[in-house]
Amino acid sequence: MSSRLDFRNETFQPYTKALGELTLAWNDFNMILSHVFWAVSKIPNGMVPFAMWNSLTSDRAQREMLGAVIKIKAIGHNIPGNIRCELEWVLSKANSLEDLRNDALHSPLLDTEGDVSPCHQLGHKRASKLANKDLLKEFRWFYDSIIILRNYVIVILDALIQPNKTLPERPSLPNRGAPSEPQPRPQA
């Protein structure tokens, strides 16, 4: 029964640390995206795009709003094709990672004789997706993936602000056991 669980005990410490790290990384990634939204919206007063961004209470809705602005092709709103393509790739990857983040943060965890596992036995949908997985490995993989995306978005933001900068090769996200393969960048 969960009312007897002490999430501060030694057994849970690696999990609470990993969950905290992935949460902070996700939040930082989204904060960097808010700066990209400002840059692509081309609104001089940053308070306006940040107010728009922060008026939405869903990370997904914020990313969808950014995606909509990225797709605009109009006079005075020239986002270079390569940057547009890379931002769309980042948003697509973030959308696919979001589900694991939600599974991690919204799954109840149990301590059964010193082993932490998701409480999926009663049909919890998110916990069921984590059943029989190495939770710490999953959480680390998510953290590593989102940090790579965050760092790439920072590079893209620099290229938006300083048009003479060139983008490096698109990063590869960590694989779960398979060797990494470089990600070719589509021609814009």
Side-chain angles (χ1 to χ4, degrees):
M1 174 171 275
S2 65
S3 64
R4 295 183 183 173
L5 291 175
D6 178 3
F7 297 105
R8 293 180 184 169
N9 79 26
E10 191 176 309
T11 303
F12 279 106
Q13 287 305 300
Y15 300 89
T16 57
K17 182 179 187 284
L19 286 168
E21 289 170 351
L22 74 82
T23 302
L24 293 171
W26 181 260
N27 293 347
D28 192 48
F29 168 71
N30 281 286
M31 195 246 339
I32 301 297
L33 288 179
S34 73
H35 289 268
V36 172
F37 179 71
W38 177 17
V40 299
S41 71
K42 305 203 184 261
I43 299 171
N45 181 342
M47 297 302 290
V48 174
F50 287 127
M52 293 165 61
W53 183 268
N54 291 316
S55 72
L56 301 173
T57 58
S58 159
D59 296 343
R60 168 106 28 178
Q62 290 169 330
R63 290 192 310 276
E64 288 172 352
M65 183 173 63
L66 173 58
V69 173
I70 291 167
K71 288 182 177 130
I72 295 172
K73 294 180 182 177
I75 294 172
H77 187 78
N78 332 13
I79 298 170
N82 64 328
I83 291 178
R84 178 180 285 116
C85 183
E86 293 310 292
L87 285 171
E88 288 172 346
W89 177 80
V90 166
L91 294 175
S92 171
K93 291 299 179 188
N95 288 343
S96 65
L97 287 170
E98 181 181 48
D99 198 45
L100 175 58
R101 175 223 173 251
N102 289 336
D103 293 343
L105 294 181
H106 299 294
S107 291
L109 300 179
L110 293 174
D111 175 2
T112 51
E113 300 174 17
D115 184 37
V116 173
S117 62
C119 181
H120 63 91
Q121 297 81 354
L122 299 176
H124 192 284
K125 290 182 182 184
R126 292 203 175 275
S128 294
K129 291 194 276 182
L130 294 175
N132 303 316
K133 291 187 177 180
D134 180 332
L135 294 179
L136 291 176
K137 185 176 179 181
E138 289 293 303
F139 299 165
R140 281 188 210 107
W141 177 85
F142 177 90
Y143 177 86
D144 292 343
S145 297
I146 207 65
I147 291 297
I148 289 170
L149 284 180
R150 181 206 58 192
N151 292 345
Y152 192 48
V153 170
I154 291 169
V155 170
I156 294 170
L157 180 58
D158 285 344
L160 275 167
I161 295 168
Q162 301 172 18
N164 59 339
K165 288 208 170 190
T166 58
L167 291 176
E169 286 298 314
R170 180 183 288 172
S172 294
L173 297 184
N175 289 321
R176 291 176 168 142
S180 293
E181 294 181 21
Q183 302 250 339
R185 180 178 297 137
Q187 297 301 316

